[in-house]
Amino acid sequence: MFYITYVLEISAFLTGLIFLQRVRPVIYRTVIIVLLLSVVNEGLAHYKIYQQWNVSKHIFYNSFFLIELAIFSLIFYKALQDRAYQKKILTVAVAGMIAVVVAIVTNGFVPFNPFLIDAVIISIIFQAGLYLYLRNAGQKVYDLTADPLFWFSSGVILVNVFLLLAVNAIFIDAFKADSMSKSIISTLNTIGNLVYYAFIIISMLCSFRSPRLAGT
């Protein structure tokens, strides 16, 4: 399952890299940074490079989540040009960052800190959902499927909902005791990642078209 997801992950990165100059909105190009870090991080972890370096992979994973939160927040903030809408996104982003700081102070940065990951995930889910709601609630009614960030936001919500379930499964004793628990979590993560990276590729291709008015 890893290689299927990893190949699609690399494909999403290469798609963005090849069509970088055509990706719209311009701020969405920063997602390439997240994809690059994800490809490198997953590769180093899978091939046990971190273990060979005698460093905890959680340092890099937690750092990745913080960078992801910052970049995604910037994308959603800049993509909505209405100042009132931007303030709503900023409020959710700041709340998420405060929650991250609290999680680090109370539970540490390493090793595995589920509260830190929860704070990042929930903030990103709310921002993506808020973007879709505000985009649709704007004065102009757009065909959202022609909006690159519609596909991006939908993928972000789906993959992070699955990740939220996986991260918090550790708190359910009955689930942990189930012999199939790891397989279930792995399957959910794989499905979420496959849809996420597929949607990112679609979003990059959608950049070739500008959002159009619905019905035109």
Side-chain angles (χ1 to χ4, degrees):
M1 286 188 178
F2 168 79
Y3 290 105
I4 296 175
T5 304
Y6 198 55
V7 167
L8 194 58
E9 184 178 358
I10 293 173
S11 299
F13 168 69
L14 292 177
T15 301
L17 196 62
I18 293 170
F19 299 113
L20 183 61
Q21 296 303 315
R22 301 183 66 178
V23 170
R24 297 291 186 275
V26 174
I27 190 62
Y28 185 41
R29 296 174 186 177
T30 57
V31 79
I32 304 300
I33 299 172
V34 175
L35 292 173
L36 173 60
L37 292 176
S38 181
V39 167
V40 172
N41 201 28
E42 292 294 339
L44 293 177
H46 180 77
Y47 293 106
K48 303 186 185 303
I49 304 300
Y50 291 142
Q51 187 175 335
Q52 294 176 26
W53 290 348
N54 198 29
V55 295
S56 172
K57 67 179 182 180
H58 295 296
I59 295 176
F60 298 94
Y61 272 97
N62 290 342
S63 298
F64 169 79
F65 279 118
L66 298 182
I67 294 171
E68 181 183 55
L69 174 59
I71 291 179
F72 284 7
S73 297
L74 183 63
I75 289 173
F76 291 125
Y77 177 82
K78 288 289 188 180
L80 292 168
Q81 298 179 352
D82 186 289
R83 288 295 298 171
Y85 291 172
Q86 287 182 333
K87 288 180 180 178
K88 295 179 187 299
I89 291 291
L90 183 61
T91 298
V92 176
V94 171
M97 292 172 186
I98 292 174
V100 165
V101 172
V102 172
I104 293 174
V105 170
T106 56
N107 295 279
F109 189 67
V110 289
F112 178 69
N113 185 343
F115 303 105
L116 183 157
I117 299 174
D118 281 348
V120 171
I121 291 173
I122 292 172
S123 179
I124 289 176
I125 289 174
F126 270 97
Q127 288 185 65
L130 189 57
Y131 170 83
L132 292 176
Y133 171 76
L134 295 175
R135 191 81 164 100
N136 190 53
Q139 294 180 349
K140 294 182 179 180
V141 181
Y142 287 101
D143 176 4
L144 289 177
T145 58
D147 176 11
L149 292 189
F150 164 79
W151 296 102
F152 172 67
S153 300
S154 300
V156 162
I157 292 172
L158 183 61
V159 73
N160 280 290
V161 166
F162 283 170
L163 182 56
L164 190 65
L165 293 174
V167 169
N168 289 280
I170 63 171
F171 298 114
I172 305 175
D173 292 334
F175 183 78
K176 287 193 299 181
D178 191 323
S179 60
M180 295 294 293
S181 60
K182 289 185 178 180
S183 177
I184 292 172
I185 290 175
S186 177
T187 300
L188 287 176
N189 280 334
T190 298
I191 294 173
N193 282 319
L194 288 176
V195 174
Y196 172 60
Y197 292 119
F199 276 20
I200 285 183
I201 292 174
I202 294 173
S203 73
M204 297 294 182
L205 299 178
C206 274
S207 291
F208 299 160
R209 300 186 296 165
S210 298
R212 66 179 186 275
L213 290 173
T216 63

